[in-house]
Amino acid sequence: DIQMTQSPSSLSASVGDRVTITCRASQGISNSLAWYQQKPGKAPKLLLYAASRLESGVPSRFSGSGSGTDYTLTISSLQPEDFATYYCQQYYTTPLTFGGGTKVEIK
Amino acid sequence: QLQLQESGPGLVKPSETLSLTCTVSGGSISSSNYYWGWIRQPPGKGLEWIGTIYYSGSTYYNPSLKSRVTLSVDTSKNQFSLKVSSVTAADTAVYYCARLGAVAAAALWYWGQGTLVTVSS
């Protein structure tokens, strides 16, 4: 199985801050990476796929980058509605695997 | 707009079988080229992929659960289903159904709202 390691596991930030979350795969995944946002009591929502492609309707302050084993989700200017938990997921191969999550909290 | 809705018992006894159904609306399981899957999330924890099915019946399972999991599809009802046998407290989780992309290993584009299943006597 491909292990996905996310860091940090949590962070505190203020509205307007630039936030970066990292996801590292245990082997190369050729940009087969998705990012999700999950709010309490809700299902995850797809934000980006293919490492850097924004899902329709997702604000442009969200961006993704990376290659090989290392990937990054960046929120350029944190908004109140962005406080949530974020997960990465590799789909290079089955079993599909997720990172452990990053909880973004209000500072 | 595609919608998915999980249904099934919220309480299952240990050693019994957990059964859930996902009803798809706003699109046909059999007329599309998409894969369909199940994911679970224990309370306060992360996400775990359970398995994926195609409308033809082809299945892909997480090896960690494969011996206890069965996925099936009913195209006449536009539904797909999950069974997990011999459940224990460790199977207590919110169970989500989802639509994947056009291959078995894909991102999860649409999700149901999730249903909490508690394993307890």
Side-chain angles (χ1 to χ4, degrees):
Chain A
D1 300 5
I2 297 177
Q3 307 303 316
M4 304 300 292
T5 303
Q6 249 182 275
S7 61
S9 57
S10 65
L11 65 89
S12 295
S14 301
V15 173
D17 283 353
R18 182 181 182 88
V19 169
T20 299
I21 298 168
T22 298
C23 188
R24 173 166 288 176
S26 59
Q27 66 183 74
I29 56 172
S30 299
N31 288 2
S32 298
L33 185 92
W35 288 98
Y36 302 88
Q37 177 193 67
Q38 186 178 34
K39 296 183 178 179
K42 300 293 187 181
K45 172 189 173 184
L46 179 66
L47 297 177
L48 296 106
Y49 61 99
S52 61
R53 296 191 174 189
L54 208 62
E55 164 64 331
S56 176
V58 174
S60 59
R61 62 180 179 273
F62 291 93
S63 64
S65 64
S67 63
T69 60
D70 295 328
Y71 299 87
T72 298
L73 171 69
T74 298
I75 310 172
S76 60
S77 178
L78 199 65
Q79 298 302 299
E81 60 268 30
D82 301 336
F83 291 95
T85 300
Y86 294 83
Y87 293 94
C88 61
Q89 176 231 333
Q90 68 79 20
Y91 53 92
Y92 181 72
T93 188
T94 58
L96 307 180
T97 49
F98 295 86
T102 296
K103 187 173 184 179
V104 177
E105 299 176 301
I106 300 173
K107 193 171 191 178
Chain B
Q1 177 72 0
L2 191 73
Q3 292 187 317
L4 297 90
Q5 177 69 58
E6 305 88 352
S7 60
L11 181 64
V12 181
K13 290 182 168 56
S15 79
E16 296 189 344
T17 296
L18 177 163
S19 296
L20 296 175
T21 295
C22 182
T23 301
V24 178
S25 59
S28 171
I29 285 180
S30 58
S31 65
S32 63
N33 291 324
Y34 298 113
Y35 286 72
W36 307 87
W38 291 94
I39 302 92
R40 71 180 183 179
Q41 185 172 36
K45 296 189 178 181
L47 300 160
E48 179 180 34
W49 173 72
I50 300 170
T52 294
I53 189 166
Y54 194 54
Y55 77 90
S56 63
S58 298
T59 53
Y60 306 80
Y61 295 122
N62 192 325
S64 67
L65 297 166
K66 186 174 182 177
S67 63
R68 299 193 293 126
V69 169
T70 303
L71 300 190
S72 60
V73 61
D74 186 338
T75 55
S76 67
K77 295 182 179 179
N78 221 32
Q79 296 175 333
F80 59 104
S81 298
L82 165 72
K83 292 187 185 297
V84 182
S85 63
S86 305
V87 297
T88 69
D91 295 306
T92 293
V94 175
Y95 285 76
Y96 296 101
C97 60
R99 197 214 79 184
L100 287 79
V103 293
L108 299 139
W109 292 79
Y110 293 91
W111 296 65
Q113 66 185 25
T115 187
L116 174 63
V117 178
T118 301
V119 178
S120 175
S121 55

